[in-house]
Amino acid sequence: RSCLVCSAPVVFAQLGMDVCRACCEFFKRVRTSGNEYPCRQGNGKCPTTQAKRSICRRCRFDKCVTVGLKYGGPVIQRKLPAPSILERIEHEWKSFIERRRVQELALAKASGWKNRIEHPTELYNVHEMTCYEIFGVFVAESFTFFKRAFPAFGELCSQERELIFKDFVGKYSLIECYYRSRLLWGGVQQFIMCSVVTCYDVGLPMGSEAIEKDNAVNRLLHTRSAADELHSVLLPVFNKSNIVEKEYHALIALLLCELDVSCGVSEDALVILDRYRKEILEDLQAYYKNELGLTDYSTRLGNLMSLNHVLQECRSLFSVVIRFYDSMFDLYVTNDMMKRFFL
């Protein structure tokens, strides 16, 4: 291979053609400078061989053009547009779910769970009272998801981040239970999801470890009553909303932005929350218009906002249940994490 301009040996192509590096750089310099040079001999027939290519810049440049060299200037490295908040939540949520799946299946193997459920997805039927380790995985990975999906909270001190996360994770654990149940079972009926790979059968008793205690009957009745109350408040609104995955991701952000008034965060934190709320609503409206082709999405958005508000109420109701267990049965005395995030 030899240079098409000066016949020098060529090892690598330059500008997509067999030209040497010297002729390539010469051509780019002339192109970018815009200079025009006269022919040394005045006839346009000066030699352009490797030994004589520097004699006449005009003839060398013309030869470059003749062989087909083209150069439009340096390549501009264009940054891809930053992902929208909905896109970022979607990406981080899928990673979050997969990390949990791996860890939960490892726990299943280590604990020797045998009650595998007939389902295309690998699922296990376990009692919710045995899910402390699963809950630990959920909280740890939820915090990773929280930091990655909402990076602006990195501007706050660790104490404020924990306050916001604590308020968020309780509400999120509630809606995930219902959302994953519908996703995997078509609704909240016989099975309710406890986590990514575990669920429990609502028709079964509370479990052997519960009925062994003297107060098992009272605990069972109170649990059923609390569960029925949660269902009666949340299920009608949840079913009416009939949210799709994109709306679920938006709901996650809205849950985060609706802080308990007693949370006591700074003005800086409230500014960040307001910004996220505005961004998520703008992205959601764009989704309704551009992807679903809706001209009137007020009903759909209104249902989603209603679900968000109901979840705030259910968060308080769930805290009452946990507080009752903790005070009456010392149920969570050995698991401070449950009290920390739900009380």
Side-chain angles (χ1 to χ4, degrees):
R1 298 168 62 181
S2 58
C3 177
L4 297 173
V5 178
C6 70
S7 300
V10 172
V11 178
F12 301 105
Q14 305 288 336
L15 295 179
M17 299 185 67
D18 279 350
V19 292
C20 66
R21 184 174 182 81
C23 288
C24 172
E25 294 300 323
F26 163 78
F27 179 70
K28 289 196 291 185
R29 284 197 303 273
V30 176
R31 272 290 190 212
T32 54
S33 69
N35 293 335
E36 295 186 6
Y37 304 101
C39 174
R40 282 291 183 88
Q41 298 187 64
N43 57 9
K45 296 181 179 181
C46 299
T48 59
T49 59
Q50 182 179 9
K52 298 181 179 181
R53 64 192 179 191
S54 299
I55 293 177
C56 180
R57 289 180 289 186
R58 177 68 189 189
C59 290
R60 188 184 184 188
F61 178 76
D62 287 345
K63 185 69 177 289
C64 291
V65 174
T66 300
V67 301
L69 275 182
K70 294 181 179 179
Y71 179 66
V75 177
I76 299 174
Q77 298 292 338
R78 291 184 173 85
K79 288 186 177 180
L80 294 174
S84 68
I85 185 172
L86 264 180
E87 291 171 335
R88 188 169 64 244
I89 292 173
E90 179 180 15
H91 172 75
E92 295 299 340
W93 181 78
K94 290 179 178 177
S95 299
F96 162 61
I97 294 299
E98 192 52 40
R99 291 194 305 270
R100 288 176 60 192
R101 187 188 309 281
V102 171
Q103 294 181 61
E104 289 179 16
L105 289 176
L107 284 173
K109 183 178 179 180
S111 303
W113 295 346
K114 298 179 180 179
N115 44 348
R116 173 86 181 267
I117 297 176
E118 288 292 331
H119 193 274
T121 306
E122 186 172 358
L123 299 177
Y124 294 86
N125 185 13
V126 297
H127 186 266
E128 70 267 28
M129 310 303 287
T130 66
C131 291
Y132 292 138
E133 289 180 307
I134 294 271
F135 183 73
V137 171
F138 165 72
V139 171
E141 292 301 336
S142 293
F143 192 58
T144 300
F145 165 71
F146 166 78
K147 290 187 293 184
R148 293 179 178 176
F150 306 98
F153 290 115
E155 303 170 13
L156 304 175
C157 67
S158 59
Q159 183 180 6
E160 278 201 304
R161 286 200 301 271
E162 289 182 8
L163 284 172
I164 295 170
F165 176 70
K166 178 183 175 181
D167 185 80
F168 162 72
V169 74
K171 295 176 290 189
Y172 176 59
S173 66
L174 282 174
I175 190 58
E176 189 201 42
C177 164
Y178 287 85
Y179 180 74
R180 297 198 67 78
S181 297
R182 193 183 71 180
L183 197 65
L184 296 175
W185 299 106
V188 182
Q189 300 170 3
Q190 179 183 1
F191 293 107
I192 296 181
M193 298 303 299
C194 301
S195 69
V196 175
V197 304
T198 62
C199 60
Y200 62 91
D201 189 337
V202 297
L204 295 178
M206 286 297 291
S208 58
E209 63 265 47
I211 61 177
E212 287 173 1
K213 296 187 180 290
D214 295 337
N215 55 15
V217 174
N218 290 334
R219 183 185 299 169
L220 175 61
L221 292 175
H222 184 79
T223 301
R224 286 287 178 259
S225 175
D228 289 344
E229 188 173 0
L230 273 174
H231 289 344
S232 66
V233 173
L234 184 54
L235 265 180
V237 183
F238 178 73
N239 291 332
K240 182 181 179 181
S241 302
N242 195 28
I243 56 176
V244 297
E245 186 175 279
K246 190 81 74 171
E247 290 173 309
Y248 178 64
H249 297 153
L251 179 62
I252 291 174
L254 291 173
L255 289 174
L256 176 70
C257 294
E258 291 288 337
L259 276 184
D260 189 321
V261 292
S262 62
C263 192
V265 297
S266 67
E267 187 66 29
D268 291 340
L270 295 177
V271 169
I272 293 174
L273 290 168
D274 285 340
R275 187 168 76 237
Y276 275 134
R277 184 186 295 107
K278 181 180 178 182
E279 288 178 9
I280 202 64
L281 290 175
E282 289 175 350
D283 283 358
L284 193 56
Q285 290 173 25
Y287 166 71
Y288 287 144
K289 291 178 183 178
N290 303 331
E291 297 190 39
L292 298 187
L294 298 177
T295 54
D296 183 7
Y297 47 81
S298 57
T299 300
R300 193 154 189 163
L301 183 59
N303 288 338
L304 188 65
M305 297 302 291
S306 296
L307 180 57
N308 176 37
H309 292 312
V310 168
L311 279 163
Q312 312 298 327
E313 298 175 15
C314 289
R315 164 71 162 83
S316 300
L317 180 61
F318 196 55
S319 294
V320 171
V321 175
I322 299 297
R323 189 172 289 108
F324 175 83
Y325 280 148
D326 186 52
S327 59
M328 297 298 293
F329 305 123
D330 293 328
L331 188 62
Y332 300 108
V333 70
T334 59
N335 193 278
D336 291 335
M337 187 179 293
M338 294 290 286
K339 291 192 290 185
R340 178 183 174 192
F341 287 102
F342 286 122
L343 294 183

